[in-house]
Amino acid sequence: MPAGSDTTEEAVSGASPDGPVPPAGTGPTGDRTDTPDAGPGAPAGGPAPDGGNGAGGSADGAGTGGAAAHPPRRPGRARRLAALARREAVRTVLAVVSGLALALAFPPYDLWPLSLVAVAALSLLTRGRTVRQGAWTGFVLGLPFFVILLKWLHVVGWDAVIGLSVAEALFMMLLGAALAGTSRLPCWPLWTACLWVAQEWARDRLPFGGFPWGRLAFANTGSPFTPLAALGGAPLVTFAVALAGALLAGCAATLWGLRGAGSVRRAVPAIEAFGLAAAVTVAGLAVPVPTEADDSVDIAVVQGNVQQPGMDFLGRPMKILDNHATATEKLAADVRAGRVKKPDLVIWPENSSDLDPFKYPQAYDRIDEAVKAIGVPVLVGALVDHSAKKGYVFNEGIVWDPKSGPGASYTKQHPVPFGEYVPFREQLSKIITRFQRVPRDFAPGDHTGVLNVGPAKLGDVICFEVAYDEIVHDTVGAGARALVVQTNNATYGRTGQPEQQLAMSKLRAVEHGRAVVTAATSGISAVVAPDGEVTHQIPEFTQGVVSARIPLRDETTPADRVGAAPEWALAIVGLLSCAAATVIGRRGRTKDK
């Protein structure tokens, strides 16, 4: 809970280095934030508590042996907290509403302009505030945002939703504190945008390898900002969205400061800020997104479906494998009948074999039958027991040839903590018995997923790995001419999670100039063109096959060539702005003393 006063010389004067802003005492919400309510013992120029005249009591009362004047008493804790709650109530409510609006910017709602509104709202609500007040505002915006965004985790349990949301909201708390601290610097919208990138940089990596869900870029996979991904990846898209939102906040703050006494001349900074926000928003439309192909390949994506959604999607053993094998054999029959063209390769999703084919002969034989029926290589998703560590498994994509059988494979590099492995298993399992439903830990792979599947050199990325910049970037850098996302979203069917993951595939297509094929056990299986357009799609919980010709491209984008450099540079600039604000603030306090 924030505490303390945010009154400064600049805030009281209502001006900042870059133009007028709302005074800290009366922000756009109309609530006062400069001084706490006077308590019952606070001097106010009237009769003092000791019966003297005024704040100091009676001098001659002390001189004649009477009681000395009592020092002013601080209000009780409860009264101070009540006063704080009254001061922060409106601002807190506005932050909560802004967090809900930000959640609606993401799939399955896809109201991307709300991402600009949320950034602008957080900028205004932290403008001219203390660091602690900014931290509180960031947290109460972040918590409802992540609860709505990650509600698909309720399949595991609402405690998982709340726990992960609180953890992610702590990063938003740090962002709110940083925005408050830098809000009095010149060019503060620029530092705001850099700090959004810095927040996402940290959240993408910490803890346990990070959790990138909720990046501003992932809400803008079908907006004018999207082509910027080809220049600087997801971080550049986030930067542009945050910059446009902060400029809109600057426009609103300037206009608020002119209320009742404005003129056209004094409104010029607001007009300039709005113009810059508009320019940043449409800048992506000028970025070319090359799509011409060096070659092409005919593919078929098999979505075999599952018995039921949820934690128990596997059903009886061999059921999911049989679903995918049967769908592939139906495709083979259609090819023989001349109803469809024979593909060059077939793609099955993650966990399409629910048994280890190298351990269970019936699973091996069922896969082999289906692959021989279609007569082309099939990329099969399977869990394979670790050969050296008992109790560990590999989550793999295996190239299965109709003549030679299983060959090259890719092992998922980034298993999901608490979902595919349990950190501190021995200790946590005693407290949270639900972790017993993750009986085996997934072992990470140690190389990228570039595989020769028939005539195509494909980059395999498994499930949540599509959210991590470096994994996809390294895969393209290793020579992938198209990308495949093998995924199993049956646990989270009809919750919005498959739509959120498909949006990430759309951004990766533009970022790397590659076709992206998403193969899911229960949906959404789709084909995304290099310009981010979804060209083919199978609905959730429907057995089906998508046949498509996808381009194979060798040309790399500027984002491929610069890698993580823009993200690091923008994040460092954001952190330096915090350091500058701290130094300037200390110098100002020293000067005042």
Side-chain angles (χ1 to χ4, degrees):
M1 183 70 71
S5 169
D6 62 343
T7 304
T8 65
E9 182 178 351
E10 289 179 350
V12 172
S13 67
S16 72
D18 57 340
V21 297
T26 55
T29 61
D31 57 328
R32 291 197 59 82
T33 60
D34 48 353
T35 56
D37 293 349
D50 60 353
N53 297 322
S58 172
D60 52 20
T64 58
H70 296 291
R73 290 177 299 160
R74 292 185 65 193
R77 178 181 294 272
R79 189 179 292 271
R80 294 200 305 273
L81 289 175
L84 179 63
R86 287 196 299 272
R87 290 200 308 272
E88 296 297 321
V90 174
R91 199 176 298 267
T92 297
V93 170
L94 289 175
V96 170
V97 172
S98 300
L100 297 175
L102 182 56
L104 296 178
F106 287 79
Y109 315 105
D110 286 318
L111 303 176
W112 68 264
L114 291 180
S115 61
L116 299 175
V117 174
V119 170
L122 183 59
S123 299
L124 288 172
L125 292 171
T126 56
R127 183 99 169 96
R129 307 287 284 171
T130 66
V131 169
R132 283 184 294 177
Q133 290 166 334
W136 169 253
T137 302
F139 181 80
V140 296
L141 183 148
L143 184 59
F145 162 54
F146 283 110
V147 167
I148 300 300
L149 182 74
L150 304 177
K151 66 179 178 13
W152 43 267
L153 267 175
H154 78 272
V155 176
V156 179
W158 279 103
D159 55 341
V161 177
I162 301 301
L164 183 56
S165 297
V166 169
E168 297 298 299
L170 293 177
F171 290 94
M172 296 295 289
M173 181 182 73
L174 296 175
L175 173 63
L179 294 182
T182 59
S183 63
R184 296 184 180 90
L185 293 178
C187 304
W188 62 269
L190 179 60
W191 319 134
T192 294
C194 292
L195 286 168
W196 272 93
V197 175
Q199 174 262 144
E200 292 186 357
W201 176 93
R203 200 160 54 76
D204 295 352
R205 292 164 173 81
L206 301 170
F208 305 114
F211 187 68
W213 242 257
R215 300 169 72 177
L216 292 178
F218 294 154
N220 287 270
T221 61
S223 77
F225 295 99
T226 308
L228 294 172
L231 297 181
L236 184 60
V237 177
T238 287
F239 173 80
V241 173
L243 180 58
L247 287 167
L248 291 176
C251 174
T254 301
L255 293 176
W256 179 266
L258 298 178
R259 65 194 188 281
S263 65
V264 174
R265 187 172 183 180
R266 294 182 64 191
V268 168
I271 298 172
E272 291 175 341
F274 183 83
L276 284 173
V280 171
T281 301
V282 301
L285 299 178
V287 177
V289 180
T291 59
E292 62 276 5
D294 299 297
D295 198 357
S296 62
V297 65
D298 291 313
I299 66 163
V301 182
V302 176
Q303 179 172 296
N305 206 5
V306 300
Q307 288 179 286
Q308 60 184 7
M311 293 288 289
D312 300 313
F313 70 90
L314 285 173
R316 63 178 176 82
M318 289 285 292
K319 176 61 177 177
I320 292 178
L321 172 55
D322 191 62
N323 286 352
H324 287 83
T326 299
T328 303
E329 289 165 345
K330 289 180 180 177
L331 172 64
D334 288 339
V335 170
R336 289 193 297 270
R339 288 187 289 269
V340 297
K341 183 180 179 182
K342 184 176 181 178
D344 296 313
L345 60 95
V346 175
I347 300 170
W348 287 9
E350 177 190 27
N351 300 154
S352 48
S353 177
D354 44 14
L355 294 176
D356 179 356
F358 303 108
K359 182 177 181 181
Y360 296 93
Q362 62 269 41
Y364 185 105
D365 293 341
R366 191 70 185 94
I367 296 171
D368 207 47
E369 289 172 4
V371 174
K372 287 178 177 177
I374 190 63
V376 298
V378 178
L379 182 61
V380 178
L383 297 182
V384 177
D385 288 346
H386 198 295
S387 59
K389 298 176 68 175
K390 186 177 180 180
Y392 283 80
V393 296
F394 292 123
N395 190 354
E396 291 191 343
I398 306 167
V399 180
W400 207 290
D401 189 84
K403 295 181 179 179
S404 57
S409 65
Y410 165 67
T411 301
K412 186 176 184 180
Q413 301 174 71
H414 199 303
V416 179
F418 305 105
E420 294 177 328
Y421 76 98
V422 180
F424 313 111
R425 174 183 288 274
E426 183 178 352
Q427 296 78 12
L428 291 178
S429 295
K430 297 176 182 178
I431 304 171
I432 306 174
T433 58
R434 188 182 304 149
F435 287 149
Q436 296 173 5
R437 300 193 70 173
V438 186
R440 301 183 296 175
D441 288 333
F442 285 31
D446 57 4
H447 61 271
T448 59
V450 178
L451 302 169
N452 289 312
V453 186
K457 194 173 186 180
L458 303 179
D460 192 13
V461 176
I462 297 180
C463 201
F464 281 18
E465 288 185 327
V466 71
Y468 295 89
D469 293 349
E470 64 277 8
I471 291 178
V472 185
H473 174 268
D474 291 347
T475 302
V476 173
R481 306 182 74 196
L483 293 169
V484 172
V485 180
Q486 290 183 291
T487 186
N488 172 22
N489 291 329
T491 301
Y492 308 112
R494 300 192 181 101
T495 63
Q497 186 270 351
E499 289 90 343
Q500 293 173 9
Q501 192 170 321
L502 180 59
M504 298 174 192
S505 295
K506 292 168 60 179
L507 186 76
R508 299 306 182 196
V510 176
E511 179 179 0
H512 301 289
R514 297 289 188 273
V516 178
V517 179
T518 298
T521 51
S522 60
I524 304 170
S525 297
V527 177
V528 184
D531 61 358
E533 180 186 358
V534 177
T535 60
H536 300 76
Q537 183 171 320
I538 305 177
E540 288 188 84
F541 298 106
T542 302
Q543 186 178 97
V545 176
V546 157
S547 296
R549 170 166 287 191
I550 63 170
L552 301 177
R553 304 189 70 250
D554 296 312
E555 181 184 354
T556 57
T557 64
D560 292 321
R561 294 189 285 272
V562 299
E567 183 180 29
W568 279 91
L570 293 170
I572 290 172
V573 170
L575 295 177
L576 289 176
S577 70
C578 291
T582 301
V583 171
I584 292 172
R586 287 177 178 175
R587 287 179 178 175
R589 287 192 294 272
T590 302
K591 184 178 180 181
D592 292 341
K593 290 180 181 179

